[in-house]
Amino acid sequence: MRLGALLLTPAVLTAQAHFPWDAAIELPWETTVPVELPEPLPPEPVATPACMVSLTGDGTLHIVNDQGRIALRIGLPGRPVHILRDAGTALALTDFPQRFPLKTPLSKGLGSVPLLGNDFRSELQGLLWIVDDSQKRLTIVHPATRQVIYLPLPAGNDWEPCFFPDRLEIREILDPSVERRERICWSLPWLVLVPQFVKLSRTPLAGRQGTAFHPFPSE
């Protein structure tokens, strides 16, 4: 190996090393005026078979499949402060572990999901939404496909996701002890998030077994 290449290798590795959420593309959030929230959709019962999702206060998330095996283990960008499932059902850490369906509208492929003219919230069944204490991103987990995406949020201190038939909103949570003022609110049409939903709908390829101590397995 040439000396120049050897000297450049650590720099290249450092430049390529980043967390998954660092690669998230900025989104065209638009400021909006807060309006009354729509009537929430009733939660759908989780059919069997199902997977189990565990979440801890330090941001560790596990998905255990219907055979009792760990299908995914990740660390969130920070500690979870706001947790919701499906189309906005609020959860607390004490509600975990939670059962999630193995078949969801998104797991059938985005081609079967109506993108215009309907209440899109009904297509969000089986998703887990988490705002962490950095307040910089919204993590969305689809346990059925074990896919995770990260939505960058506008600058702010305490965001609460709100779900509308045609859009996702994030609203500032105001401290009741401070002087009252209008809440800061941003919105994003569901249609803008089609590329993210495409990724969430993809079922990952099955990995090879038994190669943990064989980093370069032969074909």
Side-chain angles (χ1 to χ4, degrees), residues 2-185:
R2 295 181 180 179
L3 179 60
L6 181 61
L7 294 175
L8 285 174
T9 299
V12 172
L13 292 177
T14 301
Q16 292 178 343
H18 55 73
F19 295 107
W21 47 85
D22 291 333
I25 300 174
E26 295 297 324
L27 298 169
W29 292 97
E30 296 183 353
T31 57
T32 186
V33 177
V35 297
E36 184 178 355
L37 292 174
E39 189 70 22
L41 295 181
E44 294 283 344
V46 179
T48 302
C51 59
M52 298 293 294
V53 177
S54 298
L55 180 63
T56 61
D58 65 355
T60 302
L61 184 143
H62 294 82
I63 298 177
V64 178
N65 63 21
D66 57 322
Q67 299 177 347
R69 298 176 180 174
I70 295 179
L72 181 68
R73 180 191 292 111
I74 63 170
L76 298 177
R79 293 172 294 182
V81 292
H82 296 298
I83 313 166
L84 307 99
R85 65 171 296 164
D86 303 324
T89 301
L91 297 175
L93 284 173
T94 52
D95 295 322
F96 287 86
Q98 280 270 312
R99 297 175 71 246
F100 279 80
L102 290 179
K103 293 184 178 180
T104 70
L106 283 181
S107 69
K108 300 174 184 177
L110 205 63
S112 63
V113 175
L115 298 176
L116 295 173
N118 293 327
D119 189 341
F120 192 76
R121 295 177 299 167
S122 61
E123 311 301 326
L124 304 176
Q125 179 193 6
L127 297 182
L128 178 63
W129 312 72
I130 305 169
V131 178
D132 62 79
D133 58 358
S134 73
Q135 300 294 323
K136 293 182 178 180
R137 59 194 59 84
L138 172 61
T139 300
I140 308 177
V141 184
H142 188 197
T145 60
R146 307 187 300 280
Q147 297 284 7
V148 184
I149 64 171
Y150 307 91
L151 304 184
L153 299 176
N157 294 319
D158 200 0
W159 294 123
E160 176 185 25
C162 300
F163 298 77
F164 287 79
D166 62 336
R167 67 191 185 277
L168 169 67
E169 288 191 2
I170 55 167
R171 298 183 178 183
E172 178 188 28
I173 299 178
L174 294 179
D175 188 338
S177 64
V178 302
E179 183 180 354
R180 292 184 60 85
R181 59 177 174 81
E182 186 175 354
R183 300 173 70 184
I184 299 174
C185 183

